[in-house]
Short mmCIF file of all heavy atoms in Angstrom, two decimals:
data_model
loop_
_atom_site.label_atom_id
_atom_site.label_comp_id
_atom_site.label_asym_id
_atom_site.label_seq_id
_atom_site.Cartn_x
_atom_site.Cartn_y
_atom_site.Cartn_z
N ASP A 1 -10.67 -6.80 18.42
CA ASP A 1 -9.44 -7.56 18.52
C ASP A 1 -8.22 -6.65 18.60
O ASP A 1 -7.10 -7.12 18.63
CB ASP A 1 -9.33 -8.54 17.35
CG ASP A 1 -9.00 -7.90 16.02
OD1 ASP A 1 -9.60 -6.88 15.69
OD2 ASP A 1 -8.15 -8.46 15.33
N GLY A 2 -8.43 -5.35 18.59
CA GLY A 2 -7.30 -4.43 18.67
C GLY A 2 -6.54 -4.37 17.37
O GLY A 2 -7.07 -4.61 16.30
N GLN A 3 -5.28 -4.07 17.46
CA GLN A 3 -4.44 -3.93 16.28
C GLN A 3 -3.69 -5.24 16.04
O GLN A 3 -2.74 -5.56 16.73
CB GLN A 3 -3.47 -2.78 16.45
CG GLN A 3 -4.14 -1.43 16.47
CD GLN A 3 -4.84 -1.13 15.15
OE1 GLN A 3 -4.33 -1.36 14.08
NE2 GLN A 3 -6.04 -0.61 15.25
N SER A 4 -4.13 -5.99 15.06
CA SER A 4 -3.46 -7.24 14.71
C SER A 4 -2.14 -6.92 14.02
O SER A 4 -1.96 -5.84 13.46
CB SER A 4 -4.35 -8.07 13.81
OG SER A 4 -4.39 -7.53 12.51
N PRO A 5 -1.22 -7.88 14.02
CA PRO A 5 0.04 -7.66 13.30
C PRO A 5 -0.18 -7.32 11.82
O PRO A 5 0.55 -6.51 11.26
CB PRO A 5 0.78 -8.99 13.47
CG PRO A 5 0.25 -9.55 14.75
CD PRO A 5 -1.20 -9.13 14.77
N LEU A 6 -1.18 -7.91 11.20
CA LEU A 6 -1.47 -7.62 9.79
C LEU A 6 -1.85 -6.16 9.62
O LEU A 6 -1.35 -5.47 8.71
CB LEU A 6 -2.59 -8.52 9.26
CG LEU A 6 -3.06 -8.22 7.84
CD1 LEU A 6 -1.92 -8.37 6.84
CD2 LEU A 6 -4.24 -9.10 7.47
N LYS A 7 -2.71 -5.64 10.48
CA LYS A 7 -3.13 -4.24 10.37
C LYS A 7 -1.97 -3.29 10.61
O LYS A 7 -1.82 -2.29 9.89
CB LYS A 7 -4.26 -3.96 11.36
CG LYS A 7 -5.54 -4.69 11.03
CD LYS A 7 -6.57 -4.46 12.12
CE LYS A 7 -7.74 -5.39 11.95
NZ LYS A 7 -8.68 -5.28 13.07
N ILE A 8 -1.14 -3.62 11.57
CA ILE A 8 0.03 -2.78 11.86
C ILE A 8 0.97 -2.78 10.66
O ILE A 8 1.48 -1.75 10.23
CB ILE A 8 0.74 -3.25 13.14
CG1 ILE A 8 -0.17 -3.02 14.35
CG2 ILE A 8 2.08 -2.55 13.32
CD1 ILE A 8 0.28 -3.70 15.61
N ALA A 9 1.19 -3.98 10.09
CA ALA A 9 2.07 -4.09 8.93
C ALA A 9 1.52 -3.32 7.74
O ALA A 9 2.26 -2.61 7.05
CB ALA A 9 2.27 -5.56 8.56
N LEU A 10 0.21 -3.44 7.48
CA LEU A 10 -0.39 -2.73 6.36
C LEU A 10 -0.28 -1.22 6.54
O LEU A 10 0.01 -0.50 5.59
CB LEU A 10 -1.85 -3.15 6.17
CG LEU A 10 -2.07 -4.55 5.61
CD1 LEU A 10 -3.54 -4.91 5.66
CD2 LEU A 10 -1.52 -4.66 4.20
N PHE A 11 -0.51 -0.74 7.74
CA PHE A 11 -0.39 0.68 8.01
C PHE A 11 1.05 1.14 7.74
O PHE A 11 1.28 2.16 7.07
CB PHE A 11 -0.81 1.02 9.44
CG PHE A 11 -0.79 2.49 9.71
CD1 PHE A 11 -1.86 3.29 9.35
CD2 PHE A 11 0.31 3.09 10.31
CE1 PHE A 11 -1.84 4.67 9.58
CE2 PHE A 11 0.34 4.45 10.54
CZ PHE A 11 -0.73 5.24 10.18
N SER A 12 2.01 0.38 8.25
CA SER A 12 3.42 0.74 8.07
C SER A 12 3.83 0.68 6.60
O SER A 12 4.57 1.55 6.11
CB SER A 12 4.30 -0.19 8.90
OG SER A 12 4.00 -0.03 10.27
N LEU A 13 3.35 -0.33 5.88
CA LEU A 13 3.66 -0.44 4.46
C LEU A 13 3.06 0.74 3.69
O LEU A 13 3.65 1.23 2.72
CB LEU A 13 3.17 -1.77 3.91
CG LEU A 13 4.01 -2.97 4.35
CD1 LEU A 13 3.25 -4.27 4.12
CD2 LEU A 13 5.35 -2.97 3.64
N GLY A 14 1.90 1.19 4.12
CA GLY A 14 1.31 2.37 3.51
C GLY A 14 2.20 3.58 3.68
O GLY A 14 2.35 4.39 2.76
N ASN A 15 2.81 3.71 4.85
CA ASN A 15 3.75 4.82 5.07
C ASN A 15 4.97 4.69 4.15
O ASN A 15 5.45 5.68 3.61
CB ASN A 15 4.20 4.86 6.53
CG ASN A 15 3.09 5.29 7.46
OD1 ASN A 15 2.12 5.90 7.04
ND2 ASN A 15 3.23 4.96 8.73
N LEU A 16 5.46 3.47 3.98
CA LEU A 16 6.62 3.26 3.11
C LEU A 16 6.30 3.59 1.66
O LEU A 16 7.18 4.02 0.91
CB LEU A 16 7.10 1.81 3.21
CG LEU A 16 7.77 1.42 4.52
CD1 LEU A 16 8.07 -0.07 4.54
CD2 LEU A 16 9.05 2.23 4.74
N CYS A 17 5.05 3.41 1.27
CA CYS A 17 4.66 3.67 -0.12
C CYS A 17 4.75 5.13 -0.51
O CYS A 17 4.70 5.47 -1.69
CB CYS A 17 3.24 3.15 -0.38
SG CYS A 17 3.17 1.36 -0.52
N THR A 18 4.90 6.01 0.47
CA THR A 18 5.05 7.43 0.14
C THR A 18 6.48 7.76 -0.30
O THR A 18 6.72 8.83 -0.83
CB THR A 18 4.67 8.33 1.33
OG1 THR A 18 5.55 8.07 2.42
CG2 THR A 18 3.23 8.10 1.75
N HIS A 19 7.41 6.84 -0.07
CA HIS A 19 8.81 7.05 -0.43
C HIS A 19 9.11 6.29 -1.72
O HIS A 19 8.93 5.07 -1.80
CB HIS A 19 9.73 6.56 0.69
CG HIS A 19 9.43 7.22 2.01
ND1 HIS A 19 9.84 8.51 2.28
CD2 HIS A 19 8.75 6.79 3.09
CE1 HIS A 19 9.43 8.83 3.50
NE2 HIS A 19 8.76 7.81 4.01
N ARG A 20 9.56 7.01 -2.73
CA ARG A 20 9.74 6.44 -4.06
C ARG A 20 10.58 5.16 -4.06
O ARG A 20 10.20 4.16 -4.65
CB ARG A 20 10.37 7.47 -5.01
CG ARG A 20 10.52 6.95 -6.44
CD ARG A 20 11.24 7.93 -7.35
NE ARG A 20 12.52 8.38 -6.84
CZ ARG A 20 13.66 7.69 -6.92
NH1 ARG A 20 13.67 6.51 -7.51
NH2 ARG A 20 14.77 8.18 -6.41
N GLU A 21 11.73 5.20 -3.40
CA GLU A 21 12.62 4.04 -3.41
C GLU A 21 11.96 2.82 -2.78
O GLU A 21 12.07 1.71 -3.30
CB GLU A 21 13.94 4.36 -2.68
CG GLU A 21 14.76 5.45 -3.34
CD GLU A 21 14.36 6.85 -2.86
OE1 GLU A 21 13.44 7.00 -2.04
OE2 GLU A 21 14.98 7.82 -3.36
N CYS A 22 11.28 3.02 -1.67
CA CYS A 22 10.60 1.92 -0.99
C CYS A 22 9.46 1.38 -1.86
O CYS A 22 9.31 0.16 -2.01
CB CYS A 22 10.03 2.38 0.36
SG CYS A 22 11.30 2.86 1.54
N ARG A 23 8.69 2.30 -2.43
CA ARG A 23 7.56 1.91 -3.27
C ARG A 23 8.03 1.09 -4.46
O ARG A 23 7.47 0.04 -4.78
CB ARG A 23 6.79 3.15 -3.71
CG ARG A 23 5.55 2.88 -4.51
CD ARG A 23 4.80 4.16 -4.84
NE ARG A 23 5.63 5.15 -5.54
CZ ARG A 23 6.16 6.23 -4.99
NH1 ARG A 23 5.94 6.52 -3.73
NH2 ARG A 23 6.90 7.07 -5.71
N GLU A 24 9.09 1.55 -5.11
CA GLU A 24 9.61 0.84 -6.28
C GLU A 24 10.07 -0.56 -5.92
O GLU A 24 9.82 -1.52 -6.65
CB GLU A 24 10.75 1.63 -6.92
CG GLU A 24 10.26 2.88 -7.63
CD GLU A 24 11.39 3.76 -8.12
OE1 GLU A 24 12.58 3.46 -7.85
OE2 GLU A 24 11.09 4.77 -8.80
N ARG A 25 10.73 -0.70 -4.80
CA ARG A 25 11.20 -2.04 -4.36
C ARG A 25 10.02 -2.95 -4.04
O ARG A 25 10.03 -4.12 -4.41
CB ARG A 25 12.11 -1.91 -3.16
CG ARG A 25 13.40 -1.23 -3.50
CD ARG A 25 14.54 -2.03 -3.02
NE ARG A 25 15.76 -1.33 -3.41
CZ ARG A 25 16.93 -1.83 -3.21
NH1 ARG A 25 17.04 -3.00 -2.65
NH2 ARG A 25 18.00 -1.19 -3.59
N LEU A 26 9.04 -2.41 -3.34
CA LEU A 26 7.86 -3.22 -3.00
C LEU A 26 7.13 -3.67 -4.26
O LEU A 26 6.76 -4.84 -4.38
CB LEU A 26 6.92 -2.42 -2.10
CG LEU A 26 7.38 -2.21 -0.66
CD1 LEU A 26 6.51 -1.18 0.04
CD2 LEU A 26 7.37 -3.53 0.10
N LEU A 27 6.95 -2.76 -5.19
CA LEU A 27 6.25 -3.10 -6.43
C LEU A 27 7.04 -4.12 -7.25
O LEU A 27 6.46 -5.00 -7.87
CB LEU A 27 5.96 -1.84 -7.25
CG LEU A 27 4.96 -0.87 -6.61
CD1 LEU A 27 4.84 0.40 -7.43
CD2 LEU A 27 3.61 -1.53 -6.42
N ALA A 28 8.36 -4.02 -7.23
CA ALA A 28 9.20 -4.98 -7.95
C ALA A 28 9.04 -6.39 -7.38
O ALA A 28 9.24 -7.38 -8.09
CB ALA A 28 10.66 -4.55 -7.89
N LEU A 29 8.65 -6.47 -6.12
CA LEU A 29 8.45 -7.77 -5.46
C LEU A 29 7.02 -8.30 -5.62
O LEU A 29 6.69 -9.33 -5.04
CB LEU A 29 8.79 -7.66 -3.96
CG LEU A 29 10.25 -7.37 -3.64
CD1 LEU A 29 10.41 -7.03 -2.16
CD2 LEU A 29 11.11 -8.56 -4.02
N GLY A 30 6.20 -7.57 -6.37
CA GLY A 30 4.82 -8.02 -6.55
C GLY A 30 3.89 -7.60 -5.42
O GLY A 30 2.82 -8.18 -5.23
N PHE A 31 4.30 -6.58 -4.70
CA PHE A 31 3.52 -6.10 -3.56
C PHE A 31 2.10 -5.73 -3.95
O PHE A 31 1.15 -6.03 -3.21
CB PHE A 31 4.24 -4.89 -2.94
CG PHE A 31 3.54 -4.24 -1.80
CD1 PHE A 31 3.39 -4.90 -0.60
CD2 PHE A 31 3.05 -2.95 -1.92
CE1 PHE A 31 2.74 -4.29 0.47
CE2 PHE A 31 2.41 -2.33 -0.87
CZ PHE A 31 2.26 -3.01 0.33
N ASP A 32 1.92 -5.09 -5.10
CA ASP A 32 0.59 -4.66 -5.52
C ASP A 32 -0.36 -5.85 -5.70
O ASP A 32 -1.53 -5.77 -5.35
CB ASP A 32 0.65 -3.80 -6.78
CG ASP A 32 1.47 -4.42 -7.89
OD1 ASP A 32 2.38 -5.25 -7.62
OD2 ASP A 32 1.23 -4.06 -9.06
N ARG A 33 0.16 -6.96 -6.21
CA ARG A 33 -0.69 -8.16 -6.36
C ARG A 33 -1.08 -8.75 -5.01
O ARG A 33 -2.21 -9.19 -4.81
CB ARG A 33 0.03 -9.21 -7.20
CG ARG A 33 0.21 -8.81 -8.66
CD ARG A 33 0.78 -9.94 -9.50
NE ARG A 33 1.98 -10.54 -8.94
CZ ARG A 33 3.23 -10.13 -9.17
NH1 ARG A 33 3.43 -9.09 -9.95
NH2 ARG A 33 4.25 -10.74 -8.63
N LYS A 34 -0.14 -8.73 -4.08
CA LYS A 34 -0.42 -9.27 -2.75
C LYS A 34 -1.46 -8.41 -2.02
O LYS A 34 -2.35 -8.91 -1.35
CB LYS A 34 0.86 -9.39 -1.95
CG LYS A 34 1.79 -10.47 -2.49
CD LYS A 34 3.10 -10.47 -1.76
CE LYS A 34 4.00 -11.60 -2.12
NZ LYS A 34 4.45 -11.70 -3.46
N VAL A 35 -1.32 -7.10 -2.18
CA VAL A 35 -2.26 -6.17 -1.54
C VAL A 35 -3.64 -6.33 -2.17
O VAL A 35 -4.65 -6.35 -1.47
CB VAL A 35 -1.75 -4.71 -1.65
CG1 VAL A 35 -2.82 -3.72 -1.26
CG2 VAL A 35 -0.52 -4.54 -0.78
N LYS A 36 -3.69 -6.48 -3.49
CA LYS A 36 -4.97 -6.65 -4.19
C LYS A 36 -5.71 -7.87 -3.66
O LYS A 36 -6.93 -7.85 -3.53
CB LYS A 36 -4.77 -6.75 -5.69
CG LYS A 36 -6.06 -6.84 -6.46
CD LYS A 36 -5.90 -6.34 -7.87
CE LYS A 36 -7.20 -6.34 -8.62
NZ LYS A 36 -8.20 -5.43 -8.09
N ALA A 37 -4.98 -8.92 -3.33
CA ALA A 37 -5.60 -10.14 -2.82
C ALA A 37 -6.30 -9.90 -1.47
O ALA A 37 -7.23 -10.62 -1.12
CB ALA A 37 -4.56 -11.25 -2.67
N LEU A 38 -5.87 -8.86 -0.75
CA LEU A 38 -6.48 -8.56 0.55
C LEU A 38 -7.73 -7.68 0.43
O LEU A 38 -8.39 -7.42 1.42
CB LEU A 38 -5.46 -7.88 1.46
CG LEU A 38 -4.30 -8.75 1.92
CD1 LEU A 38 -3.25 -7.92 2.63
CD2 LEU A 38 -4.81 -9.86 2.84
N GLU A 39 -8.05 -7.24 -0.79
CA GLU A 39 -9.24 -6.40 -0.99
C GLU A 39 -10.52 -7.11 -0.53
O GLU A 39 -11.47 -6.46 -0.12
CB GLU A 39 -9.41 -6.03 -2.46
CG GLU A 39 -8.49 -4.99 -2.96
CD GLU A 39 -8.69 -4.70 -4.44
OE1 GLU A 39 -9.22 -5.55 -5.17
OE2 GLU A 39 -8.30 -3.61 -4.85
N ALA A 40 -10.52 -8.42 -0.62
CA ALA A 40 -11.72 -9.19 -0.28
C ALA A 40 -11.73 -9.65 1.18
O ALA A 40 -12.55 -10.49 1.55
CB ALA A 40 -11.83 -10.41 -1.21
N SER A 41 -10.86 -9.10 1.99
CA SER A 41 -10.81 -9.49 3.40
C SER A 41 -12.14 -9.22 4.08
O SER A 41 -12.79 -8.20 3.83
CB SER A 41 -9.72 -8.69 4.12
OG SER A 41 -9.77 -8.92 5.51
N PRO A 42 -12.55 -10.12 4.96
CA PRO A 42 -13.78 -9.87 5.71
C PRO A 42 -13.63 -8.76 6.76
O PRO A 42 -14.62 -8.24 7.27
CB PRO A 42 -14.07 -11.21 6.38
CG PRO A 42 -12.77 -11.93 6.42
CD PRO A 42 -11.98 -11.43 5.25
N ASP A 43 -12.40 -8.38 7.04
CA ASP A 43 -12.12 -7.35 8.06
C ASP A 43 -12.14 -5.96 7.41
O ASP A 43 -11.33 -5.66 6.53
CB ASP A 43 -10.76 -7.64 8.68
CG ASP A 43 -10.43 -6.74 9.86
OD1 ASP A 43 -10.75 -5.53 9.80
OD2 ASP A 43 -9.87 -7.24 10.84
N ALA A 44 -13.04 -5.13 7.85
CA ALA A 44 -13.18 -3.78 7.28
C ALA A 44 -11.92 -2.95 7.47
O ALA A 44 -11.56 -2.15 6.59
CB ALA A 44 -14.37 -3.06 7.90
N SER A 45 -11.22 -3.13 8.57
CA SER A 45 -9.99 -2.37 8.80
C SER A 45 -8.91 -2.77 7.81
O SER A 45 -8.17 -1.92 7.32
CB SER A 45 -9.48 -2.58 10.23
OG SER A 45 -10.37 -2.01 11.16
N VAL A 46 -8.80 -4.04 7.51
CA VAL A 46 -7.82 -4.51 6.54
C VAL A 46 -8.15 -3.89 5.17
O VAL A 46 -7.26 -3.38 4.49
CB VAL A 46 -7.78 -6.05 6.46
CG1 VAL A 46 -6.98 -6.53 5.26
CG2 VAL A 46 -7.21 -6.63 7.75
N ARG A 47 -9.41 -3.91 4.79
CA ARG A 47 -9.82 -3.31 3.52
C ARG A 47 -9.49 -1.81 3.49
O ARG A 47 -9.07 -1.27 2.46
CB ARG A 47 -11.31 -3.55 3.25
CG ARG A 47 -11.64 -5.01 2.98
CD ARG A 47 -13.05 -5.20 2.46
NE ARG A 47 -14.07 -4.55 3.24
CZ ARG A 47 -14.73 -5.08 4.26
NH1 ARG A 47 -14.49 -6.33 4.63
NH2 ARG A 47 -15.66 -4.40 4.90
N LYS A 48 -9.67 -1.14 4.62
CA LYS A 48 -9.36 0.29 4.70
C LYS A 48 -7.86 0.54 4.49
O LYS A 48 -7.47 1.43 3.73
CB LYS A 48 -9.78 0.83 6.07
CG LYS A 48 -9.41 2.30 6.31
CD LYS A 48 -9.83 2.77 7.68
CE LYS A 48 -8.82 2.26 8.69
NZ LYS A 48 -9.00 2.81 10.03
N TYR A 49 -7.01 -0.27 5.11
CA TYR A 49 -5.57 -0.11 4.95
C TYR A 49 -5.13 -0.47 3.54
O TYR A 49 -4.23 0.16 2.99
CB TYR A 49 -4.81 -0.94 5.98
CG TYR A 49 -4.98 -0.45 7.40
CD1 TYR A 49 -5.25 -1.32 8.44
CD2 TYR A 49 -4.89 0.90 7.71
CE1 TYR A 49 -5.42 -0.88 9.74
CE2 TYR A 49 -5.06 1.37 9.00
CZ TYR A 49 -5.32 0.47 10.02
OH TYR A 49 -5.48 0.92 11.30
N VAL A 50 -5.78 -1.46 2.93
CA VAL A 50 -5.49 -1.83 1.55
C VAL A 50 -5.82 -0.65 0.63
O VAL A 50 -5.03 -0.28 -0.24
CB VAL A 50 -6.26 -3.11 1.15
CG1 VAL A 50 -6.28 -3.30 -0.36
CG2 VAL A 50 -5.65 -4.33 1.83
N ALA A 51 -6.98 -0.05 0.83
CA ALA A 51 -7.38 1.11 0.02
C ALA A 51 -6.41 2.27 0.22
O ALA A 51 -6.07 2.98 -0.74
CB ALA A 51 -8.81 1.53 0.37
N ARG A 52 -5.93 2.44 1.43
CA ARG A 52 -4.96 3.50 1.72
C ARG A 52 -3.67 3.27 0.94
O ARG A 52 -3.12 4.19 0.33
CB ARG A 52 -4.68 3.52 3.23
CG ARG A 52 -3.66 4.51 3.69
CD ARG A 52 -3.57 4.48 5.24
NE ARG A 52 -2.51 5.35 5.70
CZ ARG A 52 -1.27 4.95 5.99
NH1 ARG A 52 -0.93 3.68 5.88
NH2 ARG A 52 -0.37 5.80 6.41
N ILE A 53 -3.18 2.03 0.95
CA ILE A 53 -1.96 1.69 0.22
C ILE A 53 -2.16 1.91 -1.28
O ILE A 53 -1.33 2.54 -1.95
CB ILE A 53 -1.56 0.23 0.50
CG1 ILE A 53 -1.04 0.09 1.93
CG2 ILE A 53 -0.52 -0.27 -0.51
CD1 ILE A 53 -0.88 -1.35 2.40
N GLN A 54 -3.26 1.41 -1.80
CA GLN A 54 -3.53 1.55 -3.23
C GLN A 54 -3.65 3.02 -3.62
O GLN A 54 -3.17 3.42 -4.68
CB GLN A 54 -4.79 0.77 -3.61
CG GLN A 54 -4.57 -0.73 -3.50
CD GLN A 54 -5.85 -1.53 -3.65
OE1 GLN A 54 -6.93 -1.08 -3.24
NE2 GLN A 54 -5.73 -2.72 -4.20
N GLY A 55 -4.25 3.81 -2.77
CA GLY A 55 -4.37 5.24 -3.03
C GLY A 55 -3.02 5.92 -3.07
O GLY A 55 -2.77 6.78 -3.93
N LYS A 56 -2.12 5.55 -2.17
CA LYS A 56 -0.79 6.15 -2.16
C LYS A 56 0.00 5.76 -3.40
O LYS A 56 0.71 6.58 -3.98
CB LYS A 56 -0.04 5.75 -0.89
CG LYS A 56 -0.59 6.44 0.36
CD LYS A 56 0.15 6.01 1.59
CE LYS A 56 -0.46 6.64 2.81
NZ LYS A 56 0.12 7.92 3.15
N ILE A 57 -0.14 4.51 -3.84
CA ILE A 57 0.55 4.06 -5.05
C ILE A 57 -0.01 4.79 -6.27
O ILE A 57 0.75 5.29 -7.11
CB ILE A 57 0.44 2.53 -5.21
CG1 ILE A 57 1.25 1.84 -4.11
CG2 ILE A 57 0.91 2.09 -6.59
CD1 ILE A 57 1.04 0.33 -4.02
N GLU A 58 -1.33 4.89 -6.36
CA GLU A 58 -1.96 5.58 -7.49
C GLU A 58 -1.57 7.06 -7.52
O GLU A 58 -1.28 7.61 -8.59
CB GLU A 58 -3.48 5.43 -7.42
CG GLU A 58 -3.96 4.02 -7.72
CD GLU A 58 -5.42 3.80 -7.39
OE1 GLU A 58 -6.15 4.80 -7.15
OE2 GLU A 58 -5.84 2.64 -7.37
N LYS A 59 -1.55 7.68 -6.36
CA LYS A 59 -1.18 9.11 -6.29
C LYS A 59 0.26 9.30 -6.75
O LYS A 59 0.57 10.22 -7.50
CB LYS A 59 -1.37 9.61 -4.86
CG LYS A 59 -1.02 11.08 -4.70
CD LYS A 59 -1.26 11.54 -3.28
CE LYS A 59 -0.88 12.99 -3.11
NZ LYS A 59 -1.03 13.46 -1.74
N ALA A 60 1.14 8.42 -6.31
CA ALA A 60 2.55 8.52 -6.71
C ALA A 60 2.70 8.29 -8.21
O ALA A 60 3.48 9.00 -8.87
CB ALA A 60 3.38 7.51 -5.93
N ASN A 61 1.96 7.33 -8.75
CA ASN A 61 2.03 7.07 -10.19
C ASN A 61 1.52 8.27 -10.97
O ASN A 61 2.09 8.64 -12.00
CB ASN A 61 1.23 5.82 -10.55
CG ASN A 61 1.91 4.55 -10.08
OD1 ASN A 61 3.10 4.54 -9.77
ND2 ASN A 61 1.14 3.47 -10.03
N ALA A 62 0.44 8.90 -10.51
CA ALA A 62 -0.10 10.06 -11.18
C ALA A 62 0.89 11.23 -11.11
O ALA A 62 1.08 11.95 -12.11
CB ALA A 62 -1.44 10.46 -10.57
N SER A 63 1.52 11.41 -9.98
CA SER A 63 2.51 12.49 -9.83
C SER A 63 3.68 12.26 -10.76
O SER A 63 4.19 13.20 -11.38
CB SER A 63 3.00 12.56 -8.39
OG SER A 63 1.96 12.97 -7.54
N ALA A 64 4.13 11.02 -10.86
CA ALA A 64 5.25 10.71 -11.75
C ALA A 64 4.88 10.94 -13.20
O ALA A 64 5.69 11.46 -13.98
CB ALA A 64 5.69 9.26 -11.53
N ALA A 65 3.66 10.59 -13.56
CA ALA A 65 3.20 10.80 -14.94
C ALA A 65 3.11 12.29 -15.26
O ALA A 65 3.49 12.73 -16.34
CB ALA A 65 1.85 10.13 -15.16
N ASN A 66 2.63 13.07 -14.30
CA ASN A 66 2.53 14.53 -14.51
C ASN A 66 3.92 15.16 -14.62
O ASN A 66 4.13 16.09 -15.39
CB ASN A 66 1.74 15.17 -13.39
CG ASN A 66 0.27 14.88 -13.47
OD1 ASN A 66 -0.25 14.56 -14.54
ND2 ASN A 66 -0.42 14.97 -12.35
N ALA A 67 4.85 14.66 -13.85
CA ALA A 67 6.21 15.20 -13.88
C ALA A 67 6.91 14.88 -15.19
O ALA A 67 7.75 15.64 -15.65
CB ALA A 67 7.01 14.65 -12.70
N ALA A 68 6.52 13.76 -15.79
CA ALA A 68 7.14 13.34 -17.06
C ALA A 68 6.63 14.17 -18.23
O ALA A 68 7.25 14.23 -19.29
CB ALA A 68 6.88 11.87 -17.32
N ASN A 69 5.48 14.82 -18.05
CA ASN A 69 4.90 15.62 -19.16
C ASN A 69 5.40 17.02 -19.18
O ASN A 69 5.94 17.68 -18.58
CB ASN A 69 3.36 15.65 -19.04
CG ASN A 69 2.79 14.28 -19.32
OD1 ASN A 69 3.36 13.50 -20.08
ND2 ASN A 69 1.66 13.98 -18.72
#
């Protein structure tokens, strides 16, 4: 089916998650809960982009925790 709007949006949101200000705003809006709901998507590509987003958020959280120590 090519690149659906959902896949394009998830990829782009993953890029935004690398920027602290963008990530904080998205998380404040409940973005992490919405992304978690997509973990069960029947589309493997959607699940891949969801994992990518979650990985970027986790990496940023770990970096912030290390910087605070």
Side-chain angles (χ1 to χ4, degrees):
D1 73 315
Q3 292 297 316
S4 74
L6 175 61
K7 293 175 191 174
I8 294 167
L10 288 172
F11 184 83
S12 298
L13 287 163
N15 290 340
L16 289 174
C17 285
T18 63
H19 303 283
R20 183 185 52 81
E21 296 87 359
C22 295
R23 184 176 56 257
E24 288 173 356
R25 292 231 179 185
L26 288 168
L27 293 174
L29 294 170
F31 177 67
D32 50 335
R33 292 187 309 271
K34 291 174 173 63
V35 169
K36 184 155 184 64
L38 291 171
E39 285 178 338
S41 173
D43 187 320
S45 293
V46 169
R47 292 191 309 270
K48 176 181 78 172
Y49 292 134
V50 164
R52 178 176 175 265
I53 289 169
Q54 292 171 327
K56 288 179 183 270
I57 291 171
E58 290 169 12
K59 180 178 178 183
N61 288 343
S63 293
N66 287 337
N69 291 331

